Amino acid sequence: MRHLIAGNWKMNESPRQARALARQILDLLPEQPGADVLLLPPYPALGPVHSVLAEDGRVALGAQNCHWEDAGAFTGEVSAPMLSDWCQYILVGHSERRHLFGETDEQVRAKLEAVLRSGMRAVLALGETREERDAGKTEEVLTRQCCSGMMGLGRDRILRCTVAYEPVWAIGSGAAAEPSDIADAAAILRSVIEEAASGAASEVRILYGGSVTARTAPVLLGAEGVSGALVGGASLNAAEFCGIVAAAPAHA
Ligand code: PGA
């Protein structure tokens, strides 16, 4: 499966800064990158970044979040159909959404369905906290989050999903998970996906996220069962991010 390297810019970069960063990334990317590349700028930067990426064609665009309803009285929210003119992907269930904004598994599922309903691809992020890991609950948590996102979706919709395993304790910490732990998590997630749609496990990408840098990417992207990375901090530096793209194995 071809790798996917996604850059989650979080709440960083004004529209003008975002356009410049997108241009720098295009300048540093090889003419034919060995992996698919996705950028996830904040909402106000989506239009400007779209105009930079669309004329180039090497990099896909996505949003970091959306509401689960298509329209209505939800002041301050943004719906999936509003994003579908510009975006090919929407990220749902990022740990900052779950933990800082109290999103539940049910809300994440509803958002994921909204993304797919609007014809886009979804990146479902999930992962255990340090306390859950220390209590031996990693498998239980990953299974619950993945089942909640995937069960009953049906094969066609599952094939438009990517799962991003992001252990909460590794995000922004400078200390990534061990490749063996990532491989264990990927195996758990693949078995849930297989149960949700037989034969789908080998066709759904599982990304790893949490303190991926150009230096650590070769080892992390080589973890068994992993087909890409969701990159936070390091995606704000064009050279660093393109170094991660370059580290992706051409076929995995
Ligand atoms: P990080 O963030 O690469 O800065 O650890 C990853 C993420 O939150 O997606």
Side-chain angles (χ1 to χ4, degrees), residues 6-10 40 91 94-96 125 164 166-176 208-213 229-236 244:
N8 173 13
W9 293 355
K10 307 193 179 183
L40 304 162
L91 173 63
H94 188 277
S95 95
E96 286 146 22
E166 298 204 305
V168 179
W169 46 272
I171 295 175
S173 69
Y208 167 74
S211 298
V212 178
T213 63
L230 180 54
V231 185
S235 70
L236 294 169
I244 296 169

Side-chain angles (χ1 to χ4, degrees), residues 185-208:
I188 293 165
L189 297 171
R190 283 202 193 283
S191 77
V192 173
I193 296 166
E194 189 60 26
E195 206 183 309
S198 140
S202 59
E203 296 183 53
V204 172
R205 281 169 169 144
I206 296 180
L207 313 182
Y208 167 74

Side-chain angles (χ1 to χ4, degrees), residues 43-48 50-51 60-62 81-89 120:
Y43 290 140
L46 285 170
H50 175 262
S51 65
L61 183 65
M82 291 172 185
L83 297 165
S84 63
D85 279 0
W86 288 333
C87 296
Q88 293 90 53
Y89 287 82
M120 290 173 286

Side-chain angles (χ1 to χ4, degrees), residues 15 18-19 37-55 57 59-65 78-90 115 118-121:
R19 199 167 42 213
V37 183
L38 166 65
L39 296 179
L40 304 162
Y43 290 140
L46 285 170
V49 172
H50 175 262
S51 65
V52 172
L53 300 184
E55 61 200 33
V59 175
L61 183 65
Q64 300 168 14
N65 183 31
V78 174
S79 72
M82 291 172 185
L83 297 165
S84 63
D85 279 0
W86 288 333
C87 296
Q88 293 90 53
Y89 287 82
I90 299 186
V115 173
S118 295
M120 290 173 286
R121 295 175 180 274

